[in-house]
Every structure is written in structure tokens, then in C-alpha cells.
Amino acid sequence: MPNISLVKRLLHAEGLGLLLIAVLGYRWQGFSWWQFGLALFVPDIVMLGYLWGPKVGSICYNFGHITLWPLSFLAFGVLNDWQVGLQIGLIWLAHIGLDRMLGYGLKYPTQFKDTHLGRV
């Protein structure tokens, strides 16, 4: 049987790494820190989906917490010299990294506490 606690620690460390890279990238770009603080928890608006139950809530939450979207903003920002896209992408990645570091993973449709990182 694999060492699940080691796997869980690695996944949390991966979240920390994502958070640190996003924060360092944000600093490197010289973006505004008050905007960072203001926008860091904006992705959690998708949790309102839980008002319609755990199935809809998990779909909404996962849609707002996969790295595909912020990476798309970053790519579009780099390719088109779009600073706002870079800023959004970095803040969004920092948010996801923070969530994953704290153990808030992608959600299963059973209930909010059931995540791909284990039970919260």
C-alpha cells in the first residue's frame, strides 16, 4: 500500500510551489500589491454554486479552480503583451496554489469537504 500521507504532503508542497511562483512572477512584473490583495479571493465567488447543491457546486468550484484558465490568461497576456491578462493569471494561480497548499482541492459532487486532496 502506498504511503498516502507522503502523496498528500507532496500535493500540498506542489500548491506551495505554485503559490510562490505566481507571487514571484507578480513581483517580477511590478504589479500593484493592493490589487493582488483585493483580487486574491475573487475566484471563490464560484462557491455560490453550492447554493444549488453539491453537484452544481462542485462543477462551479472546479471550473474556477483548475489551472487551465489562469494559464490561458498568462499565455494570452504574454503573446499579446496584455498586462491585465498577466496580472489576472498570476493572481488566479496564486489563489489556486494557496487553496491546494491548504488542502482545498478540486471537489467531488458528494459534498464540499470531498476533494482530490482528501477530505478537508
Side-chain angles (χ1 to χ4, degrees), residues 5-112:
S5 63
L6 174 61
V7 171
K8 195 169 183 176
R9 282 193 298 254
L10 289 172
L11 289 169
H12 288 274
E14 191 174 63
L16 174 62
L18 183 59
L19 172 63
L20 290 175
I21 290 297
V23 168
L24 289 172
Y26 196 87
R27 181 176 182 265
W28 182 53
Q29 289 295 313
F31 293 135
S32 166
W33 288 106
W34 72 267
Q35 289 175 332
F36 182 90
L38 190 65
L40 184 61
F41 294 103
V42 167
D44 281 337
I45 290 171
V46 296
M47 286 194 294
L48 291 173
Y50 278 95
L51 294 172
W52 289 272
K55 184 176 180 180
V56 172
S58 66
I59 291 168
C60 293
Y61 184 92
N62 293 341
F63 187 82
H65 286 82
I66 58 172
T67 57
L68 175 66
W69 307 126
L71 290 174
S72 298
F73 272 87
L74 288 174
F76 196 75
V78 167
L79 293 173
N80 295 289
D81 195 28
W82 184 40
Q83 295 297 301
V84 173
L86 289 174
Q87 192 173 15
I88 291 169
L90 289 168
I91 293 170
W92 202 344
L93 280 177
H95 173 88
I96 292 170
L98 177 64
D99 271 8
R100 304 269 167 90
M101 180 188 76
L102 296 174
Y104 295 101
L106 298 175
K107 309 300 182 195
Y108 290 108
T110 50
Q111 58 179 295
F112 182 79

